[in-house]
Amino acid sequence: QVEVVESGGGSVQAGGSLRLTCVVSGNTYGSNCMGWSRQAPGKEREGVAGFDFDGTIEPYYADSVKGRFTISQGNAENTIILQMDNLMPEDTALYYCAAWRGGPWLIATGEALEYDFGFWGQGTQVTVSS
């Protein structure tokens, strides 16, 4: 059984920083990517960032977070970190971590909405106040 656990969400003022961590355990059937998607109330889910553990493909970032968010591999196995700097109120959302097989950009495609895309966590809330 696969378990995806996110942590690090919280509330911060605009311009502040937060660090999200995701740990995946169990058999992920060859998943080589991990990343983050977010969903704000009344909005569609948005793929934020993706990381390829094979190291052959550059990380993916949504245009809305480029230059402010950094995704990286954690020290522990099957762990990723999302460092979020210069946060803005529009970053407020429930952030979901996922593990999947393929390219890191897939987190931002319609494929990520398919039921068999990969493995998802329950989400961690990020709230940015102005």
Side-chain angles (χ1 to χ4, degrees), residues 12-53:
V12 66
Q13 288 192 324
S17 298
L18 283 173
R19 185 179 173 94
L20 304 184
T21 300
C22 178
V23 181
V24 176
S25 59
N27 185 356
T28 60
Y29 299 98
S31 296
N32 62 302
C33 290
M34 288 178 66
W36 298 88
S37 185
R38 67 185 181 185
Q39 188 162 23
K43 293 188 177 181
E44 293 185 353
R45 186 173 288 200
E46 175 190 22
V48 173
F51 184 87
D52 171 29
F53 281 91

Side-chain angles (χ1 to χ4, degrees), residues 60-103:
Y60 164 82
Y61 294 100
D63 287 343
S64 57
V65 306
K66 278 182 182 175
R68 300 188 298 119
F69 290 12
T70 303
I71 190 169
S72 61
Q73 185 174 1
N75 291 330
E77 190 175 359
N78 291 338
T79 301
I80 56 167
I81 306 291
L82 185 67
Q83 178 66 40
M84 305 185 295
D85 298 317
N86 192 20
L87 283 161
M88 302 186 293
E90 46 264 49
D91 294 318
T92 295
L94 189 59
Y95 283 70
Y96 297 93
C97 179
W100 68 94
R101 194 162 78 174

